[in-house]
Amino acid sequence: MQTANVNVPIRVDGRHLVLTEAMYQHVVDKLSHLHLDYPRIIEAHVVLDLQKHGNRHFAEIIMRCANHITLEASVTTNNLYASIDLAVAKIAQQMRKFKTRHLLGYRAGRRAA
């Protein structure tokens, strides 16, 4: 089992809403499993926002990883928790895609035979 970066530093910011302990804990619970896909995460920054017009909730995740790799995902829905879940799913997909390319020795412009 991978143990590198088990305790990833997570920063959660709330814009136009009061960040509750339940919201913070939901974000931490969802992001705590991402170290299995790519173990060299340096920092995770999550921005939660309630937009002015309508009941639109915005969640953005910015992951800073080793080797100057930055992954970003953002989602806007009517439910804050759904926005968080979808953003985590997007960032996990990006991490798996990056790891697969890295393991296969993917190079831009190179064609598979």
Side-chain angles (χ1 to χ4, degrees):
M1 181 172 148
Q2 294 176 343
T3 58
N5 260 350
V6 173
N7 297 321
V8 176
I10 300 171
R11 215 175 47 180
V12 181
D13 293 334
R15 296 182 185 157
H16 306 112
L17 61 90
V18 177
L19 188 64
T20 64
E21 184 62 32
M23 289 179 202
Y24 179 79
Q25 197 60 40
H26 185 74
V27 170
V28 170
D29 289 343
K30 290 293 180 175
L31 290 178
S32 65
H33 301 289
L34 289 181
H35 72 278
L36 299 174
D37 290 328
Y38 189 75
R40 294 177 297 190
I41 300 170
I42 296 170
E43 166 186 44
H45 183 207
V46 180
V47 178
L48 304 175
D49 187 11
L50 176 62
Q51 295 179 349
K52 184 176 180 180
H53 298 291
N55 194 14
R56 305 296 291 170
H57 297 275
F58 176 78
E60 179 181 28
I61 300 174
I62 303 167
M63 301 288 276
R64 288 177 183 35
C65 302
N67 299 328
H68 305 286
I69 298 165
T70 302
L71 302 172
E72 299 180 12
S74 60
V75 176
T76 303
T77 63
N78 290 330
N79 184 352
L80 181 65
Y81 291 101
S83 295
I84 294 168
D85 294 344
L86 291 172
V88 169
K90 275 187 175 183
I91 204 86
Q93 177 64 31
Q94 288 178 12
M95 293 173 84
R96 281 190 295 275
K97 184 176 180 180
F98 177 80
K99 185 175 180 179
T100 302
R101 284 184 173 182
H102 180 71
L103 291 175
L104 293 176
Y106 176 80
R107 300 283 189 262
R110 182 185 190 184
R111 296 186 183 185

